Every structure is written in C-alpha cells, then in structure tokens.
C-alpha cells in the first residue's frame, strides 16, 4: 500500500544560534530523502510559522503526490498521523458516489451517494452537453453544479463520521469522458460529435482549490481512453486486475452505452457503443431505477409471479435485473418465443391498442414493446462481446473471467442473464459481478500510487474500437436479437434446459 | 534572450475522420518537442474548445516556465505573437516599481512606480512586522495591501499603454526578505528576531492566481540568501554581472540597512547590517526623500551656497546626495573639522539650545546632530566594505568595480562621496551607479531563463556575514567616523586635495 498522500510526524529542531535555516528548509531537511524535492502549497506555507511555534516544533505534515513530486498541503500541530484519510469517487451522470478511506489501514470508513446536481441541466447527459455547447457561462453553471454535488457528499460524509474530511490531501475521481469535462468546466460537445475529438483525455492531477473542491490537496482524475471509453472503464478494469493476469478476461459495463475491455497482461482491446437505456429501466414502460419499490427478482411458477421488491412494500416497477428475470422467466415458461414475442395461446395476457402485455402485479404490465427494446440492448451487449472475442480469436469458452460492472451486475441473476443471451454461456463461477468497479478502481489508485505508472502502460497498450464504426455491427446484432441467440450452439446449457423443460425438442 | 514566457502561433489540423486526437493533444503535438511535456492551467484548458473553433484552429498559445516545466496559461485566436509582454518588479518597502517589457525585443515598454500600500501598517518596515506577528488575519491584510499595490501599478500601466497587461504570462519580482514574506502573506518576525530564521528564503515560482495577482501565469520571486540579504540584492548583483567576471568587484546597497557583495566568478562574500536611515534623509532634521523640492547637489563657494533643487522651485530640505555634498563642501571649505564638528571660528553659524548649525537656505538649517548621524551611517558603510575586503585579503585599490545601488547612488556626486569617506578612494571610473539594480536584475531574469540556474550557483557559492555578529565592528566603525577616515593614507586623492586647499599641511 502506497497511498497518494502521506502524513508524517516531525520533531524539528527549533532555530537557534548557528542554525538559522528557514522554517520550510527545516521541514524539508527533516523529511525522508527518498521523497525528492518537496514543494509546499501557498495555504500550507501560510500556516507554517504559527503551527511550528504553537506546537513547539512538533508537527504533522500532509503531503500529496502532484503527478511530478510531493507537495506539502497541510500542517497540523502535534502528531495527527493516527488519522490519515483520503477520498475516492465515482462521478456518474446520475449519481456521485464517494468513499472516505482510512489510508493507514486501507479500510473504508464511510460512503455516501448523492444525485448529480447536473440533472438540473438535463436528465439525459446529451441534453447537458447541448446546454453547455459553445457557452462558457453555461459550462460554468454545469461545473458549479458538479462541485455542489461533491460539496453535498463531502458534507454528508463529514457529518456522518465526525471526521475532518476537508483535511483530506487527496481525492481520486473516476467517471466517463463527459463527466471529466464537466468537472473541469469544459465543453463536452466533441465527445459526442464526429469526429469525436474531446478537449482532453489525459486529465490527471488538479489542485482541489482550482476546481473549488473543499479538500486540502489534489484531485486525481482517471485518464480516459476515448470519447466513449472513459476513466470509469479504465478504473473498473484496474479494479478487476485483468491487465495483470495471463488468462484473457472480459470486462463489460453496460448501461445506456456499452463499454467493454477484452485482454490480459499482454494486450487490451476496448470498445464502446450505444446500447440503449433499456438496462437502466429507461424505455420500459413500467421500468425504473434500482431504488425502493423496484422489482429486482422475478420468478414465474405455475403461472404465478413471485416478486422480490427492493426495500419491501408494494412493487412499483421493474429495475434492470427484474427485467432480465422477467424475460427469462417468460421464455422458460413458454410465454414468449425465441423472438421474444408473446404467445397469446399461452393465455393470461392483456391487450391494449393491439399490443400484448402481461400483468405481473396489480396494475403493473410488462409490454411487448418493453421486451423488444430490451432485446435490442441485450443484442448490442452480446454482439460487442462476440465481436471483440472474434477480433482476438478467442472462443467464448476460453474466457478467463467475465466481469460485469455496475449496480445492474450486482443484482442481476446470472442464470437469467445467460438464459436470455445477455451473458455468454460459460461456467457461472467465471461470471463476476464487479459492483461499482469505477469506484473500486478509484480506491485502488488512492491506495496505490504505483497504479499511475500502470495507467500509462494500459493506455498505450489499449486498442480502441468504436462499435458504431464497425460495418456489419447491425447485422451481427440482428442475429443476437433472438433468445438466447439465433445460434443455439453458443448456449449449450440454455439449450439443455429448454430441452429439459420441453420447450425445445431434442 | 530566452524569456520566462513564450508565445507560439500554431496552425492546427482540425479533428477529422481518422484523427480524433483531443484538442489539448493536438496542441501538445504541435509544440516544439524541446519544450518537453507541456501542461496547461485550468483557465487555459477552459478556453481551449472555443478558441480553437472560433479561430478555425489558428491559435496563439502563451507558455510560462513554472520552475519544473512549461505550462500553457493563455490561448488567443489568431496570431498574436507580435505582442509578447512580460513584467518585472522591484517591491520596495516604500515603493513598488514595475516595468512592462516587450519580450520579443527585450525593450522596456513602460514603467510605473506606486507607493507600497503596506505603509498603512507602518512607515517603518519593523512596525509592519510587529503588526502581523502571530496574527494570520493581519498578515492577510498586509498581503492584501501588497496585492492592491500591484493592482494599482498594473492598472496604471494598462491605462498608460493601452496594452493587455493582464495577459502577461509572467512577472519577476525582486525585493527584500520581508517584502517576499508579505507578498506571500507570511509572518516575517523571524527575519528580525534572533536567531533570524525566516519562514522561507527559496521562493521561486507561484501561480499569479494563488497570490491574486491579476496576470495569467506565474510570478517568479527572486530567492533570498539570508534574513537581511534579500532577493533585491541577489537581483542587483545579477544585474551587474559581477559574478561572471574575473576581477573582484564590490556591490553596495546602502539605505537603512547596508548590504554588500564582494566577489567574482569564483567566490561571493555577502554581508548585511544596520546602517541607519541617514542616507534616506531619515534622521536629518531638514532631510527628505529625493522628491520635488529636495536639494540634490550643494556647492559652497566663497561662503555662498549653490543649491540644485529637484523639480526646481523653493528648496525644502536635503536628500541623501544633498547631505553628502553638504558635508563634503563644509569640510573642504574648512567649516567642519576631521571629526565633522562645526568650527565656530569660521563664522556664519546658527546656534540653538547649545547646538551649532548652518543656514544653507532661508529657514533651512543643517545641524551638528545631522552631521553626527550621517557620519555614523557613512562609517558603517565604509567599515562594511573595508571589513569584507579585509576578509578577502584584497587591497581597496585592486577592486575592479564599485557598484552602488539605489536612487541614492544615482544622484550622488562621486567626488563628494569619496571626500567624506563614504566611497573608497579609487579611480572614479571604477565607481558605478547601478540605479534600481533590483529592478534591472528582475528584468534580466524575465528575459533570460538561464539566470535561474545561475541563481542556484550564486546561492550555493555565496558566504554570508551578518555584521551585527562581527565582534570588533563598532571599534572599526569608530575609526571610520572621521572625514574621510582616521587613516588618511586610505584616501590619497582626498589628502592631496586637502593639502592643495591648505586645510592639511604638507
């Protein structure tokens, strides 16, 4: 463990006859030589005189790595090394998730999630991009909203823990390319408009002060690889450690956009493309986010729906994992066919304006159009993975680990996801839910400065494919629209199950 | 000439299919490779998108050296390299003097002097130090006053020239150790209190933004050598170039404090000590600063005073050069003796409360106590130089150049200064008035980045003597109280003149 910040307790010799070294030199001389030339921030410099004298020259210095060297960013009287805190964050377009970490132990102290205040400028990220396009004063509004979001989360953390969060010397942040632009107050139009040249991708270290983030030292922004392949993906991949291993693994983050990385210690192939908002419950009529009231698991037995509701209580709609379960269950129970179409002959359907649907809870209906939308998304996800493995020349069954990022992956039932063809049909223990891997990667960087060098290697090694530019992508997707896939041989366990259930004849 | 900032015009390739490099990378790739890794400030990063697109990718970048690398601090549409400005300043405790320099030609565009707003916290620098001691909020007031002083001067420059002064990427500043502390908002008590350990001496590069100075890039503060040997002296010495030459020279800056450097390209010996405010007209009853109404030259012929008054008009008092002239003239005309005491027998004196004086203009009287005070100062100056040359083992006549810094040196009549023993009795062409050498050195640094490396060498090489700690300094000073000196052999031309005038018998 080598965190991006250090706290060091120093017992200094006070100035005396024959030793008139300046206060700063006194500290620099007392610091370990291996830190190299240590600089100091202006606010810390201003503390120097008083802190040294009030503490009888027993002080604790907080240092932060700046990208090029160590900088003293805070001085405290006495020995405060027992409390050494750092922050890491996943800045999502919907939610900011921040963790307070004990940098002495590497343990999480507390975590806080708040809605991204940018939502005021559009629920959809594209609306925000258009709002700010060519308008510096609006970009400043978006930046301020972003900073406010951080402030809210940091205050909440401080209040909850009673700890001096504002004295943290470092915060790592992972997020997609647009979020990094907005956090810096940059125009993100280039992220979305051909030829997809953003303002920057490297990011790295910024002084918290410059961004008006209320901590002492620096924020380190995860670098992005491309417009649609942001720091959240790089971070997530770092969290899995797939780039260290010999076996070839897949890292998939699927939401409105799908991003994935296939690779190992020798190569990394990354890709991104639109997947549609279906997985976040967006286009599904009774869909919703994975919050209280959302149906997260569905079981259909003997024509009866068994629903698991987040937070208990009345079901209000289906979240992503609920949708996947629902489609799998409808399929396995012979209510929808391979194309995902309702089979009216199986009964129990509702009809409205010529569209079939099924009532899975009082007044909650899952419609044909919901299934269709979702299957497009799952087809996109499948095709991305299949395409990339094809590029690499690796058969699906030789995949080492199949990581799925996001809250979606956390709740998702692997069996259902395989059944509908969203996940590949590989041994289930190879499928790993990576959770908020963006946040995990941010934490890994916070705790291990060595990852900075790894990142350079990763970015250099990583090839990038924009699926939108793959000529036959749509064609390939069409083949993946079926449940689980037009080519059933790709899904041997699903095939066996269907045969067992008599849905498919042997 | 290699200024601390650069302006480079770039014609960039716009993003296109197959070239989706981010805007920043596009610029970095277009910059000369020898600049190394070029970073960018947050404000400049925020300009990037608009400036590139509004100018059809024809932009001018302003880069500033940060101490460790080049940073882009400003972007402008089109080719603005024709206007490349920089600033240099001498921050004195009384006056801030700023120059606007054309960094394409190295020529001075304009110059502005304003009173230092710190004066609100004490005319005397020590009062300001005590005002701020242990009081961070008062140190902030002093810092704000300092920043206001810069703002006033920069506004005046902008108004006078109509040039975009706020777009300067760099300003160099020289000043004494206390001024550097106040510019940064630091407690300067350690500068004056034994064992004389200030907060810092290294200084160097600070972002203008951090100090709230209204320019784009960085300010570079001249390093100081010791509490009483500030960046103004290092800067002044750099201006003379004495550290480059083989011959051993003397650099003397004498005011309330005396600072001097003796050395050449092989060694540098520096010293500082109290000299008394006499040279600035401080303790002399009818003394004043070298402003309008001050008598700058005095000639006494056949009992009649011939006075040169700055700005013409009625004389109001004597400035430093007037005092030196006055004492020399009184001495050469036999009105005062070797001890500087009025000779009542010579006539024309005034007496008040038992003290003799001479009326040199209507109602303006130069008193015995004025002479006594001034002789202490000149004795201090002489002793400092003599002591240092003694340390070095160099006879006075082997001194290469004798530089005198400051406005004082500018007006001073060399002959008078030698006559009273303030300057050594060496060939007059060796005595060089260095003017505002602190400002000249700041300008030299602004125009020549190579001086930064020189400075490291200078500071390492420079030995420092605090005259207050020299055991027999007072004794030596007593010997130098006489006019020109107790040991007349040190002043052969003065001796000859006195013999010629019959004041001294052959």
């Amino acid at each position: 463990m080598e965190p991006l910040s250090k706290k060091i307790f120093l017992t200094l010799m006070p100035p005396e006859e024959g030793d008139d070294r300046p206060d700063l030199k006194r500290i620099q001389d007392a610091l370990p030589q291996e830190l190299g030339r240590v600089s100091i921030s202006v606010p810390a410099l201003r503390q120097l005189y008083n802190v040294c004298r009030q503490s009888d020259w027993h002080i604790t210095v907080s240092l932060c790595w700046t990208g090029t060297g160590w900088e003293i960013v805070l001085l405290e009287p006495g020995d405060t090394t027992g409390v050494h805190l750092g922050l890491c964050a996943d800045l999502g377009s919907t939610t900011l998730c921040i963790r307070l970490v004990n940098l002495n132990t590497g343990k999480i102290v507390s975590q806080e999630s708040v809605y991204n205040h940018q939502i005021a400028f559009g629920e959809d990220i594209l609306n925000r991009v258009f709002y700010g396009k060519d308008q510096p004063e609006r970009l400043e509004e978006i930046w301020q909203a972003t900073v406010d979001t951080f402030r809210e989360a940091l205050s909440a953390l401080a209040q909850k823990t009673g700890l001096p969060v504002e004295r943290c010397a470092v915060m790592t942040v992972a997020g997609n390319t647009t979020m990094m632009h907005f956090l810096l107050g940059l125009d993100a139009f280039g992220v979305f408009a051909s030829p997809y040249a953003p303002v920057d991708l490297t990011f790295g270290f910024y002084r918290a002060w410059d961004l008006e983030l209320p901590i002492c030292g620096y924020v380190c922004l995860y670098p992005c690889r491309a417009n649609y392949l942001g720091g959240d993906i790089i971070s997530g991949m770092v969290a899995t450690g797939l780039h260290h291993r010999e076996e070839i693994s897949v890292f998939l983050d699927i939401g409105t956009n799908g991003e994935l990385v296939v690779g190992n210690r020798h190569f990394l192939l990354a890709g991104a493309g639109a997947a549609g908002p279906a997985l976040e419950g967006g286009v599904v009529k009774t869909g919703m986010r994975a919050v209280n009231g959302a149906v997260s698991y569905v079981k259909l037995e003997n024509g009866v729906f068994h629903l698991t509701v987040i937070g208990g209580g009345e079901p209000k709609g289906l979240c992503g994992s609920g949708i996947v379960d629902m489609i799998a269950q409808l399929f396995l129970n012979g209510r929808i066919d391979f194309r995902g179409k309702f089979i009216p002959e199986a009964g129990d359907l509702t009809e409205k304006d010529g569209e079939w649907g099924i009532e899975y809870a009082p007044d909650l209906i899952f419609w044909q159009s919901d299934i269709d939308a979702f299957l497009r998304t799952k087809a996109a996800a499948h095709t991305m993975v299949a395409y990339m493995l094809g590029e690499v020349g690796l058969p699906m069954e030789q995949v080492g680990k199949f990581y799925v990022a996001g809250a979606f992956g956390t709740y998702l039932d692997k069996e259902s996801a395989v059944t509908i063809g969203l996940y590949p049909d590989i041994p289930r223990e190879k499928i790993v839910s990576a959770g908020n891997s963006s946040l995990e990667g941010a934490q890994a960087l916070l705790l291990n400065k060595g990852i900075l060098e790894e990142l350079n290697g990763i970015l250099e090694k990583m090839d990038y494919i924009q699926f939108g530019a793959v000529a036959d992508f749509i064609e390939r997707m069409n083949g993946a629209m079926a449940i689980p896939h037009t080519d059933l041989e790709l899904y041997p366990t699903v095939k066996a199950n269907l045969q067992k259930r008599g849905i498919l004849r042997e």
Side-chain angles (χ1 to χ4, degrees), chain A residues 180-249:
Chain A
M180 293 302 101
H181 277 64
F182 285 165
L183 176 55
L184 290 170
L186 307 181
D187 200 313
F189 188 69
V191 175
F192 290 92
S194 170
Y196 308 109
V199 174
D200 188 21
L201 289 172
T202 54
F203 303 109
F205 288 85
Y206 294 86
R207 298 196 319 168
W209 189 2
D210 287 354
L211 304 183
E212 297 190 10
L213 292 170
I215 62 165
C216 274
Y218 282 75
V219 285
C220 175
L221 311 190
Y222 248 98
C224 301
R225 172 61 184 80
N227 63 327
Y228 290 147
L229 200 91
D232 51 343
I233 302 305
I234 307 294
S235 174
M237 201 203 67
V238 164
T240 67
L242 74 76
H243 62 298
H244 284 311
R245 294 201 301 273
E246 195 60 41
E247 60 175 13
I248 297 172
S249 295

Side-chain angles (χ1 to χ4, degrees), chain A residues 243-304:
Chain A
H243 62 298
H244 284 311
R245 294 201 301 273
E246 195 60 41
E247 60 175 13
I248 297 172
S249 295
V250 174
F251 175 84
L252 176 67
D253 189 346
I254 187 108
T256 307
N257 288 298
E259 295 108 9
L260 86 166
V261 182
V262 172
N264 65 0
R265 54 187 296 188
H266 302 297
F267 79 95
L268 294 166
L269 185 61
L279 290 193
E280 287 163 341
V283 293
V284 174
K285 284 176 193 142
T286 64
M288 61 186 290
R289 293 217 178 93
V291 293
N292 278 351
V295 173
S296 55
Y297 294 106
V298 176
K299 187 89 187 159
L300 176 57
E301 260 174 350
N302 305 322
V304 179

Side-chain angles (χ1 to χ4, degrees), chain A residues 165-176:
Chain A
V165 173
E166 76 287 354
R167 295 194 171 185
C168 284
V170 63
M171 171 161 66
T172 55
V173 184
N176 68 36

Side-chain angles (χ1 to χ4, degrees), chain A residues 161 331 366:
Chain A
T161 62
F331 180 57
F366 192 58

Side-chain angles (χ1 to χ4, degrees), chain A residues 67 89 111 162 205 209 296 305 357 393 420 429:
Chain A
Q111 183 167 327
F205 288 85
W209 189 2
S296 55
F305 284 102
I420 69 163
E429 71 276 9

Side-chain angles (χ1 to χ4, degrees), chain A residues 464-476:
Chain A
Y464 173 63
I465 290 170
Q466 197 156 307
F467 291 118
V470 172
D472 59 347
F473 195 81
I474 300 296
E475 231 166 274
R476 287 163 181 264

Side-chain angles (χ1 to χ4, degrees), chain A residues 49-50 56 67 113 120-121 153 182 204 226 249 276 291 311 393 399 403 416:
Chain A
Y49 183 90
N50 271 333
D56 200 20
S113 290
F121 307 106
F182 285 165
S249 295
V291 293
V399 163
Y403 295 100
S416 294

